[in-house]
Structure formats: structure tokens, C-alpha cells
Amino acid sequence: MSLFSSMPYSPAAYALLLLCLLLAVGLTVAALRRTNRQRRLLRIGAGWVAVLAIWFTAFPPRHSVRGTSIEAIILTPGYHPDSVRQVAQLLGPATKLWRLGFSAPSDTPSLPSLLLLRERYPALRRLHVLGIGLPTAELANLGPLRLVLHPAAPRPGFRQAAWSRRPAAGQPLVVEGVFTGLSKTAAWISLRGPGRSADSVRLPAGTGSFRLQFRPKTPGLAVYQLVARQANQTVAAEPVPVEVTAPQPLRILLLSSSASFEFKFLKNYLGAQQHRVALRTGLSRGLTQTEFLNQPSHDLSRLNAPLLARYDVLAADAGILATLSASEVQTLTSAIRGAGLGFILLADAGPLPRATPARGSFTVAPSSGTAAERPQRIRWRGTLDSATALVPATLRLAPTARPLLTDGQGRPVVGAQRLGLGSIVVSGLAQTYPWALQNADDTYAAYWSYLLRATARPLAPLAQWQSLAAWPRPHQPVALRLVSAAPVSSSPVVSGPQSAPGVRLALRQDA
């Protein structure tokens, strides 16, 4: 850098230069003529510094650095400073640099959108991206720009995660995914609810798939935490947002051929869950007893179309089917096939009654020896729930049927078969009330909730908004989808503060 490298060739510049030189000579001569010779060199140096300050005020010094006008650098979250220095050294220190979409320090300007970059610098041809990469919404704004990716160094974290966004209260919330650690130290993956850890699993190799389960009980919005720990340190944490929905009450008809603890406990449990329950119990030939919970009483003496239309599920034991007339069996089958009625049959250890709908899909295999006398481990299909119970019989299912519960050897204990619009469930567990007597209320509730959800008549879906972005981020657009069983009669209105007017949305139709 030279003192005169930035001097423009103009008369005013030469005049200022001559004035500065005369001033410097004058200050030097004045310092030499002083009678007091102490600090003479310091006075001369101060005079020259003052003259230089006057010159640099008018003509600041300049230094040329290498840069490029066809390439630029974009910083996204997760970038490493060393990578920035390497790319800047390669392209030149004068290359333009921005941060995209998040607050930036004063030394680096932020860029709200790539579209603005293209408008301001049309000569750009390549864009160097450092960090986690560009949001999907910004890809449409690239235009002719060519991307050059400089990914961040690998970090421990959750590579995949999936869970039900709207679990029902009391139903299991299962979180599955894959965690990748940077070391082979054992990792603990935990799902943390409000104030406590809900479930955890250990990955011995520090990397692998996991499956966690929690049963939320309170409806509402909640954010759980998926946390990974290695060597007693938290290495990754991600939010698990859910909307816990209140279970919708069902209409359930119970038919028992004789008084039993099974139907008594089931009736009380369903009534406590605010379901509408009716129970008809056979006392003797031609004599029955009826009970109603959460609904007015009505005639249950005969199965007909108006009666079955009032209910979503009919649960009966094997003995009740032998008492039904041919017209009642036909009405029941028609209600299942044409109206979507769910039917649960608590089977005995013997063959199924001939009146059983879809009887050919189920074959009862009685348990023998210790298998029938000792409690067996049973597991819910698709969940981590398990329990022990007496299994008097297992099932052999047709290819069209599916198992819902299995025993320790993988044999079906409860199976389901679609019949038209409805579902038929046959259970080899004739007695589940011992769970309630053993204070295993969670197991009892999980079992019957699972069976009812697999059997009940499909309910009309409510209109709801769905977010198509798994991980919404601040200041980034989020695509929404409105799901409704009926056509939307009016445009949705987005409301803000009370003083601001609402904005109507124009929905794009999904073909």
C-alpha cells in the first residue's frame, strides 16, 4: 500500500499535497528553532503524524483484495467457521457473503430470500452453500444459479423419527426412528414427557434404530422431548409435538347368554369411559335382564335393523349366537356388511357357532396341558404392550384375516376379518376381568381400547388442518392441508389481532 496510491490526478489533490508538504516543513522548522531541545524528535514526529492525518482524511488509503462477482457464499444453520475461511480463501476475501433466513450478527448481512439475491446481483452464476442446506421452499428461487454444497461435518443426531401426530388420550404414542452417534459408546435414547422420562432404550453400539412408547392421558397440545445421551452427556435433543385428542364416545351393545363377571366388569369400564352402553343378560329361558349406561332405555329383546343402527359395536359370547333366530342372524350379518357395524365374539374353547358371521375365516384350536392352565404372555399387534393371561384357545386364521394379539409362540389369540363395511373380531380370551382384580387397570384399558378401535363402525371424520412440514422452522413457509369429509362451503378465514381484519384463503383443490 503506497501513500499516493489512492491520490486522484486533479489540481485540488496537488494543491492539498503542496499544502501538506509546506505544513510539514513549517512544523519541522518550528520544532528545530525551539530553544528547549528536549523531546525535539517527538515534536517533529507528532507534526508529521498530524500532516498525514489531514491527507488520509481527504484521501483514505486503499488496498485491493481478490474476489469474484459471479460467485457468492450463503451460510445456513450448522456451518463451521473453518469451512467459511477455506471457501473465502479459495474464492477471494472480497466475495459476497450472507446468512440465509435467520438472525445474523452485525458483521454478516442476512438474506431473507434467494429471489432477492438474484434481483440485486444478476451476474451471479454459482452459489456456495455451507451448513445444513437450503430450505425446500427456496429451491424454486434458485433460477439459473448453480449450487456448490459444502456440507457441515457429521454430528450425532436423529436421522429419522416418526410418530402419530394426533394420538388419542389413553392410547399408546409410539416413537420410532434411527439415531447415529459419532462414537461406539453406548447411547441411551429417552422420550421425556412433562416433568419425567416416559420411556428409554439403550443402544449398545451407540448407533441403531429405537422404538419408544408412552401413553398420554390428558387431551390437548403437548411437546415431548426425544433425547440422546452418551457418556452421561446430552448429544442430541429434538421436540416431539403432538395433539392428544379426547376419545370419541362409542355406542356399544353387550349380549351375554348368562350372568358373568366378564361382561359385568366390561360394562362398568365402558360406562366409566363415557361410552353409551347397553347390556342384555340371559337369566333363564325366555327371561333376560337389561342395563343401560349414559343413554335412555329401549327395547333389546330382538335384534333388528333399527336397534343395530343405534350402535357402533356389538360384543357377545358364543352362547348368545345359538339363541338367535335365522332372521336375527341375517339382520346382524347385513348390519355388519352394509352398515359397518363392528362385531366382537368372545369364543369358547370349542368350535364357533354356525351363526357366526365370516365363520370360515376363524378356526378355534383349544390349548392343551400347561398352556391352558398357566398364564401365557400375549402381545398387542403393532405396539409394545404385553400382558399375561390364561389362553384357553388360539386361532388359525384364513389368509384374508389378520391377527390382533399373539401369544409367546406367535400364534394368533385374537383375529379380525373385514366383512363388507364392517369388521368381525374373534377373541380366544374368554376372561379378561382378572386384570381389573389384579389392579392392572392400564392393561385392561389398553386391551379393550385396542379391540374397540379395531372393530368399531368408522366414524365420520371431522374437518382438520394438517401441516405438511414435519419440522416447521421460524420465518419459513409451511404448507397446510384441509381434510374434510364434505366439500368446504366457504373459504377459511385467517384471523390475527382483534384490530386486524381477517384474510380469506383460496384453497387449491387436490385432484
Side-chain angles (χ1 to χ4, degrees), residues 31-236:
L32 294 174
R33 288 182 176 181
R34 287 178 62 92
T35 56
N36 186 2
R37 296 185 177 183
Q38 294 182 350
R39 303 185 183 90
R40 175 178 293 177
L41 294 180
L42 292 178
R43 289 190 180 93
I44 295 174
W48 279 95
V49 169
V51 173
L52 288 175
I54 295 175
W55 172 260
F56 287 146
T57 302
F59 302 103
R62 297 179 181 179
H63 176 64
S64 300
V65 294
R66 185 170 56 90
T68 175
S69 61
I70 64 171
E71 300 186 69
I73 302 174
I74 292 292
L75 304 182
T76 61
Y79 75 93
H80 198 278
D82 290 341
S83 300
V84 180
R85 285 190 288 268
Q86 292 175 2
V87 176
Q89 184 178 4
L90 176 65
L91 301 179
T95 304
K96 296 289 186 180
L97 183 145
W98 294 273
R99 299 187 185 223
L100 180 65
F102 61 100
S103 59
S106 58
D107 62 338
T108 307
S110 61
L111 187 69
S113 173
L114 295 182
L115 188 60
L116 183 63
L117 183 66
R118 290 174 50 200
E119 293 176 351
R120 291 184 179 179
Y121 302 96
L124 283 179
R125 291 296 177 264
R126 283 186 294 275
L127 201 60
H128 295 260
V129 180
L130 285 77
I132 62 175
L134 299 176
T136 305
E138 289 291 341
L139 298 180
N141 297 328
L142 284 174
L145 291 180
R146 176 188 171 190
L147 286 183
V148 181
L149 301 180
H150 303 269
R155 297 182 299 172
F158 298 97
R159 298 296 175 255
Q160 297 177 3
W163 64 92
S164 174
R165 306 289 174 156
R166 303 183 74 248
Q171 301 303 322
L173 167 64
V174 179
V175 181
E176 298 178 291
V178 177
F179 173 78
T180 301
L182 294 184
S183 65
K184 296 184 178 180
T185 307
W188 281 95
I189 311 298
S190 59
L191 179 65
R192 296 182 180 178
R196 65 186 182 92
S197 179
D199 194 10
S200 60
V201 64
R202 183 175 182 268
L203 302 180
T207 298
S209 59
F210 60 87
R211 197 163 188 257
L212 303 173
Q213 178 175 296
F214 178 63
R215 197 179 297 276
K217 297 182 179 180
T218 305
L221 299 175
V223 178
Y224 298 91
Q225 288 290 328
L226 195 59
V227 181
R229 293 179 60 85
Q230 283 184 301
N232 295 326
Q233 292 185 349
T234 300
V235 295

Side-chain angles (χ1 to χ4, degrees), residues 22 27 30 35 51 83 94 147 166 186 197 208 218 226 239 250 259 314 338 340 371 378 390 395 411 416 473 499:
L22 292 176
L27 292 175
T35 56
V51 173
S83 300
L147 286 183
R166 303 183 74 248
S197 179
T218 305
L226 195 59
L250 298 175
L314 187 151
I378 58 175
L390 291 175
L395 303 176
R411 296 173 299 186
R473 299 184 180 278
S499 59

Side-chain angles (χ1 to χ4, degrees), residues 394-414:
T394 57
L395 303 176
R396 290 195 296 270
L397 304 178
T400 56
R402 72 183 193 279
L404 297 182
L405 273 78
T406 57
D407 62 4
Q409 301 179 11
R411 296 173 299 186
V413 177
V414 179

